[in-house]
Amino acid sequence: MLDQALIALAASGGTALAGAAGTDAWTGLRQAVARWFGRGDAQREQAELDRLDQTAVSVQVTDPAEAERARIRQEAVWQTRIETFLESLDAARRKQAAEQLRSLLAQHVPQSGVVAGPGGLAANTVAIHADRGSVAGGVIHGGVRSGSPSLPDPSQG
């Protein structure tokens, strides 16, 4: 059984992997995590690279709602894989592996806490402005019409 700090670390790893898939951060994180799991075993490392590639494919869907569900599933998958791996180690090796995982996450995951998937924009602050009858929006679902608004019916005041 893992303590809360290691469970939180595994959750962070799962979130980082699912969030980075398909982004600029993916390649470096993918390699580092595969090496971490592989522990010097080339076959095990290659197996992890294959699993990570499957993760990247599964989160790169065009439907935003399905992409979010896929990302959540992959977060859980990788959290569980990391927890299982840590549980398989003796106390000394577990401590060392946890330190290595913390280090690689700090090195390869954007520190802003903001991660965007395919087609997304990662930003801490976004200012959106519209003027002179234009339309601006962070996300617009559906149609947008621009022009002078119709006058209300006199009965509406």
Side-chain angles (χ1 to χ4, degrees):
M1 187 86 179
L2 298 178
D3 64 29
Q4 290 295 55
L6 291 179
I7 291 170
L9 176 62
S12 294
T15 299
L17 285 165
T23 70
D24 292 342
W26 178 246
T27 303
L29 181 60
R30 174 186 170 271
Q31 292 291 336
V33 168
R35 277 192 304 276
W36 182 79
F37 272 109
R39 314 296 280 167
D41 180 328
Q43 281 185 308
R44 194 173 347 162
E45 186 174 327
Q46 185 57 52
E48 294 304 326
L49 287 169
D50 293 342
R51 284 185 187 97
L52 288 159
D53 289 341
Q54 291 171 3
T55 293
V57 169
S58 75
V59 300
Q60 293 178 359
V61 294
T62 56
D63 176 29
E66 182 55 34
E68 180 65 11
R69 285 190 292 273
R71 186 189 57 74
I72 290 168
R73 278 192 305 272
Q74 290 303 316
E75 282 181 11
V77 165
W78 284 102
Q79 177 179 350
T80 301
R81 287 193 52 69
I82 293 167
E83 287 177 3
T84 302
F85 179 72
L86 290 171
E87 286 174 339
S88 74
L89 302 173
D90 64 44
R93 289 184 12 201
R94 181 180 303 143
K95 181 178 178 183
Q96 179 185 30
E99 289 170 5
Q100 290 169 341
L101 182 58
R102 280 186 198 95
S103 176
L104 79 85
L105 289 174
Q107 184 177 8
H108 294 282
V109 176
Q111 297 304 307
S112 68
V114 179
V115 178
L121 169 67
N124 284 323
T125 304
V126 175
I128 300 172
H129 303 277
D131 63 1
R132 297 191 177 121
S134 63
V135 174
V139 176
I140 299 174
H141 295 282
V144 174
R145 289 187 6 208
S146 181
S148 299
S150 57
L151 294 174
D153 184 297
S155 66
Q156 295 176 340

